[in-house]
Amino acid sequence: MLEQAIRLFPALLYTKIQPFFWLYWALWALTLGVIAFVFRWARPRLRERVLKADSHFRAHAHRVRFRSHEHEDAAERRERIALTWFFRFWTNFASAPSLATFSFLVPLYVYWRQMEQGPHWMSMEAVAGLWMMPGVCYGGSMLLSFVLKRVFKRLRPPLQKGDFGHKLVTDPSFPSGHSLTSFCFWTMVPISASLTHSSSATVMALCVVAATTIALTGLSRVYLRVHFPSDVLGGFLIGAIWCGVCLTLLPGYLAR
């Protein structure tokens, strides 16, 4: 049964996505333009307050990580290694390879389970289609992150020798791509469960998992000093906008 699902799933994926492909990217381009305009308009008006808040929260994150003040010499800093590895796990868990893998495997797994369980009041194609929403939303968010970083061209936070990502992270800082894409993927997971009439307990459990994963992803980016807090907040706000756009389009097509 699993082999059959793997063989049939690519055709199902094409059948579900092809009808709205061009409309999806038209809405994506419109969303990109609106977000770029709004954030460019807001940036000079909020700049001083944002920089002050960034400085405050970065200093707090540094004290949590190193048990010291930011200006102290690197040799005097004592890093909480276990906590750093904890946040490294979450930042890697929200990376592009992880989310891309989940985007494909989750609807494939649902499709396979539907084939095994037999008839359902919703067709197995409709159920699997609705579980494609996290991946489809994630795909657009990934490209939003790539383009918006090059629109705003914000420099990354200054790194000190020994910091995670030292001399490795060179792409622009705003918005946080991990925060944006993780928000979009995981927000859609409990929504997909709700639309396919999963039990209330399942939906609530997925809400807790999604909220925890999103929050820890954002915290990890600040803790590891690869993003400003405003990059993370901006990623969440952009993610919320894109999720709203996807929710107006995707369910009607993917549930067919």
Side-chain angles (χ1 to χ4, degrees):
M1 193 68 73
L2 179 57
E3 294 174 354
Q4 184 182 4
I6 293 172
R7 187 177 70 254
L8 295 176
F9 184 71
L12 175 65
L13 191 65
Y14 174 81
T15 301
K16 289 291 183 181
I17 294 177
Q18 187 271 336
F20 66 88
F21 181 83
W22 294 112
L23 178 58
Y24 175 84
W25 289 113
L27 288 175
W28 179 90
L30 178 62
T31 304
L32 173 66
V34 171
I35 291 172
F37 173 80
V38 170
F39 276 80
R40 277 193 175 275
W41 176 86
R43 183 164 62 175
R45 293 163 175 80
L46 300 176
R47 178 180 175 82
E48 294 303 320
R49 278 179 282 183
V50 167
L51 291 178
K52 185 176 180 180
D54 277 344
S55 178
H56 172 76
F57 285 111
R58 272 174 49 79
H60 179 69
H62 182 93
R63 289 193 296 271
V64 170
R65 180 175 178 179
F66 291 106
R67 312 183 197 189
S68 65
H69 293 287
E70 195 165 3
H71 66 272
E72 291 182 2
D73 186 81
E76 300 175 4
R77 293 183 291 169
R78 294 172 298 159
E79 184 170 3
R80 292 180 169 93
I81 301 298
L83 191 58
T84 298
W85 277 109
F86 173 78
F87 280 117
R88 283 189 179 186
F89 166 80
W90 284 106
T91 211
N92 290 326
F93 185 72
S95 64
S98 297
L99 293 181
T101 301
F102 284 137
S103 296
F104 183 79
L105 291 184
V106 168
L108 174 60
Y109 172 77
V110 170
Y111 187 48
W112 168 53
R113 292 296 297 165
Q114 289 290 303
M115 292 178 71
E116 280 199 328
Q117 292 171 2
H120 187 269
W121 78 272
M122 290 179 71
S123 70
M124 61 183 180
E125 290 81 7
V127 174
L130 288 170
W131 276 100
M132 292 176 189
M133 285 205 308
V136 175
C137 186
Y138 161 74
S141 71
M142 191 71 178
L143 193 56
L144 276 176
S145 171
F146 179 83
V147 175
L148 287 171
K149 283 176 180 289
R150 283 143 188 85
V151 169
F152 294 104
K153 299 178 182 178
R154 187 182 194 185
L155 295 177
R156 291 273 181 167
L159 296 175
Q160 298 178 5
K161 189 173 183 180
D163 281 356
F164 175 75
H166 180 65
K167 293 185 179 179
L168 295 177
V169 184
T170 58
D171 64 320
S173 188
F174 183 90
S176 165
H178 281 67
S179 302
L180 168 55
T181 56
S182 179
F183 184 96
C184 288
F185 179 87
W186 287 104
T187 295
M188 285 297 183
V189 167
I191 292 174
S192 294
S194 178
L195 290 175
T196 52
H197 298 274
S198 299
S199 67
S200 298
T202 298
V203 174
M204 288 302 299
L206 289 174
C207 284
V208 172
V209 170
T212 302
T213 302
I214 292 167
L216 288 173
T217 297
L219 289 172
S220 74
R221 304 309 283 165
V222 177
Y223 176 90
L224 296 172
R225 298 167 61 85
V226 291
H227 278 293
F228 295 102
S230 54
D231 298 335
V232 171
L233 180 59
F236 289 161
L237 290 175
I238 294 166
I241 294 170
W242 180 234
C243 283
V245 172
C246 288
L247 279 173
T248 65
L249 173 68
L250 297 182
Y253 283 94
L254 294 176
R256 293 177 180 177

Short mmCIF file of all heavy atoms in Angstrom, two decimals, residues 112-135:
data_model
loop_
_atom_site.label_atom_id
_atom_site.label_comp_id
_atom_site.label_asym_id
_atom_site.label_seq_id
_atom_site.Cartn_x
_atom_site.Cartn_y
_atom_site.Cartn_z
N TRP A 112 -1.31 7.91 2.31
CA TRP A 112 -1.09 6.49 2.56
C TRP A 112 -2.05 5.97 3.63
O TRP A 112 -2.67 4.91 3.47
CB TRP A 112 0.36 6.27 2.97
CG TRP A 112 0.64 4.90 3.52
CD1 TRP A 112 0.35 3.70 2.94
CD2 TRP A 112 1.26 4.60 4.78
NE1 TRP A 112 0.75 2.66 3.74
CE2 TRP A 112 1.32 3.19 4.88
CE3 TRP A 112 1.77 5.38 5.80
CZ2 TRP A 112 1.87 2.56 5.99
CZ3 TRP A 112 2.33 4.75 6.89
CH2 TRP A 112 2.38 3.36 6.99
N ARG A 113 -2.20 6.73 4.73
CA ARG A 113 -3.09 6.30 5.80
C ARG A 113 -4.54 6.24 5.33
O ARG A 113 -5.30 5.34 5.71
CB ARG A 113 -2.96 7.25 6.99
CG ARG A 113 -1.61 7.19 7.69
CD ARG A 113 -1.37 5.84 8.31
NE ARG A 113 -2.34 5.53 9.36
CZ ARG A 113 -2.55 4.33 9.88
NH1 ARG A 113 -1.87 3.28 9.41
NH2 ARG A 113 -3.43 4.14 10.83
N GLN A 114 -4.93 7.21 4.48
CA GLN A 114 -6.29 7.19 3.94
C GLN A 114 -6.52 5.96 3.06
O GLN A 114 -7.59 5.37 3.08
CB GLN A 114 -6.54 8.46 3.13
CG GLN A 114 -6.67 9.73 3.97
CD GLN A 114 -7.95 9.74 4.78
OE1 GLN A 114 -9.04 9.63 4.26
NE2 GLN A 114 -7.80 9.88 6.09
N MET A 115 -5.52 5.59 2.28
CA MET A 115 -5.64 4.40 1.44
C MET A 115 -5.78 3.14 2.29
O MET A 115 -6.54 2.21 1.95
CB MET A 115 -4.42 4.27 0.52
CG MET A 115 -4.33 5.36 -0.54
SD MET A 115 -2.83 5.21 -1.57
CE MET A 115 -3.25 3.75 -2.53
N GLU A 116 -5.09 3.08 3.42
CA GLU A 116 -5.16 1.92 4.29
C GLU A 116 -6.49 1.83 5.03
O GLU A 116 -7.04 0.75 5.21
CB GLU A 116 -4.02 1.96 5.31
CG GLU A 116 -2.68 1.48 4.77
CD GLU A 116 -1.73 1.10 5.89
OE1 GLU A 116 -1.82 1.73 6.97
OE2 GLU A 116 -0.92 0.19 5.70
N GLN A 117 -7.01 2.98 5.45
CA GLN A 117 -8.20 2.99 6.28
C GLN A 117 -9.49 2.82 5.48
O GLN A 117 -10.53 2.51 6.05
CB GLN A 117 -8.25 4.30 7.08
CG GLN A 117 -7.18 4.40 8.13
CD GLN A 117 -7.09 5.77 8.78
OE1 GLN A 117 -7.88 6.65 8.46
NE2 GLN A 117 -6.15 5.94 9.68
N GLY A 118 -9.42 3.06 4.18
CA GLY A 118 -10.61 2.86 3.36
C GLY A 118 -11.48 4.10 3.29
O GLY A 118 -11.05 5.21 3.61
N PRO A 119 -12.76 3.94 2.87
CA PRO A 119 -13.66 5.07 2.62
C PRO A 119 -13.80 5.99 3.83
O PRO A 119 -13.81 5.55 4.97
CB PRO A 119 -14.99 4.40 2.26
CG PRO A 119 -14.60 3.04 1.79
CD PRO A 119 -13.40 2.65 2.59
N HIS A 120 -13.89 7.27 3.55
CA HIS A 120 -14.04 8.32 4.55
C HIS A 120 -15.08 9.27 3.99
O HIS A 120 -15.29 9.33 2.79
CB HIS A 120 -12.69 9.01 4.75
CG HIS A 120 -12.68 10.01 5.87
ND1 HIS A 120 -12.96 11.33 5.68
CD2 HIS A 120 -12.40 9.86 7.19
CE1 HIS A 120 -12.86 11.98 6.85
NE2 HIS A 120 -12.52 11.11 7.76
N TRP A 121 -15.72 10.02 4.87
CA TRP A 121 -16.77 10.91 4.35
C TRP A 121 -16.20 11.98 3.43
O TRP A 121 -16.88 12.48 2.55
CB TRP A 121 -17.56 11.53 5.49
CG TRP A 121 -16.88 12.66 6.20
CD1 TRP A 121 -16.02 12.58 7.24
CD2 TRP A 121 -17.01 14.04 5.90
NE1 TRP A 121 -15.59 13.83 7.62
CE2 TRP A 121 -16.20 14.74 6.81
CE3 TRP A 121 -17.72 14.76 4.96
CZ2 TRP A 121 -16.09 16.13 6.80
CZ3 TRP A 121 -17.62 16.14 4.95
CH2 TRP A 121 -16.81 16.81 5.87
N MET A 122 -14.91 12.31 3.61
CA MET A 122 -14.18 13.12 2.63
C MET A 122 -13.33 12.17 1.80
O MET A 122 -12.80 11.18 2.31
CB MET A 122 -13.26 14.14 3.32
CG MET A 122 -13.96 15.27 4.03
SD MET A 122 -12.77 16.40 4.82
CE MET A 122 -12.07 17.19 3.38
N SER A 123 -13.18 12.45 0.52
CA SER A 123 -12.35 11.59 -0.31
C SER A 123 -10.90 11.66 0.17
O SER A 123 -10.46 12.69 0.72
CB SER A 123 -12.44 12.01 -1.78
OG SER A 123 -11.79 13.25 -1.97
N MET A 124 -10.14 10.59 -0.04
CA MET A 124 -8.75 10.59 0.41
C MET A 124 -7.94 11.64 -0.35
O MET A 124 -6.98 12.20 0.17
CB MET A 124 -8.13 9.21 0.26
CG MET A 124 -8.07 8.65 -1.13
SD MET A 124 -7.40 6.96 -1.11
CE MET A 124 -7.45 6.57 -2.84
N GLU A 125 -8.35 11.95 -1.61
CA GLU A 125 -7.67 12.99 -2.37
C GLU A 125 -7.89 14.36 -1.74
O GLU A 125 -6.99 15.20 -1.69
CB GLU A 125 -8.15 13.00 -3.82
CG GLU A 125 -7.70 11.81 -4.65
CD GLU A 125 -8.58 10.59 -4.41
OE1 GLU A 125 -9.61 10.71 -3.70
OE2 GLU A 125 -8.25 9.51 -4.95
N ALA A 126 -9.12 14.60 -1.23
CA ALA A 126 -9.41 15.88 -0.59
C ALA A 126 -8.65 16.02 0.72
O ALA A 126 -8.10 17.10 1.03
CB ALA A 126 -10.92 16.00 -0.34
N VAL A 127 -8.60 14.95 1.51
CA VAL A 127 -7.88 14.99 2.78
C VAL A 127 -6.39 15.24 2.55
O VAL A 127 -5.77 16.11 3.17
CB VAL A 127 -8.11 13.69 3.58
CG1 VAL A 127 -7.24 13.68 4.84
CG2 VAL A 127 -9.57 13.53 3.95
N ALA A 128 -5.81 14.47 1.63
CA ALA A 128 -4.39 14.66 1.32
C ALA A 128 -4.13 16.04 0.75
O ALA A 128 -3.11 16.68 1.04
CB ALA A 128 -3.92 13.58 0.35
N GLY A 129 -5.08 16.53 -0.07
CA GLY A 129 -4.93 17.86 -0.65
C GLY A 129 -4.88 18.95 0.41
O GLY A 129 -4.04 19.85 0.36
N LEU A 130 -5.77 18.86 1.40
CA LEU A 130 -5.77 19.87 2.47
C LEU A 130 -4.50 19.80 3.31
O LEU A 130 -4.06 20.80 3.86
CB LEU A 130 -7.01 19.69 3.35
CG LEU A 130 -8.33 20.13 2.69
CD1 LEU A 130 -9.52 19.70 3.53
CD2 LEU A 130 -8.35 21.64 2.46
N TRP A 131 -3.91 18.61 3.39
CA TRP A 131 -2.65 18.50 4.13
C TRP A 131 -1.44 18.96 3.30
O TRP A 131 -0.32 18.97 3.79
CB TRP A 131 -2.44 17.07 4.63
CG TRP A 131 -3.15 16.82 5.91
CD1 TRP A 131 -4.34 16.19 6.09
CD2 TRP A 131 -2.71 17.22 7.21
NE1 TRP A 131 -4.69 16.17 7.42
CE2 TRP A 131 -3.69 16.79 8.13
CE3 TRP A 131 -1.60 17.90 7.70
CZ2 TRP A 131 -3.59 17.02 9.50
CZ3 TRP A 131 -1.48 18.13 9.05
CH2 TRP A 131 -2.47 17.69 9.94
N MET A 132 -1.69 19.34 2.05
CA MET A 132 -0.64 19.98 1.26
C MET A 132 -0.49 21.47 1.61
O MET A 132 0.49 22.11 1.23
CB MET A 132 -0.95 19.86 -0.24
CG MET A 132 -0.86 18.45 -0.78
SD MET A 132 -1.35 18.39 -2.53
CE MET A 132 -1.43 16.62 -2.81
N MET A 133 -1.47 22.01 2.32
CA MET A 133 -1.43 23.45 2.62
C MET A 133 -0.17 23.91 3.34
O MET A 133 0.40 24.94 2.98
CB MET A 133 -2.67 23.86 3.42
CG MET A 133 -3.94 23.94 2.61
SD MET A 133 -5.16 25.07 3.33
CE MET A 133 -5.24 24.48 5.00
N PRO A 134 0.30 23.19 4.38
CA PRO A 134 1.54 23.65 5.02
C PRO A 134 2.71 23.77 4.04
O PRO A 134 3.45 24.76 4.06
CB PRO A 134 1.80 22.57 6.08
CG PRO A 134 0.46 22.01 6.39
CD PRO A 134 -0.27 22.03 5.08
N GLY A 135 2.86 22.78 3.16
CA GLY A 135 3.97 22.80 2.21
C GLY A 135 3.81 23.88 1.15
O GLY A 135 4.78 24.55 0.78
#
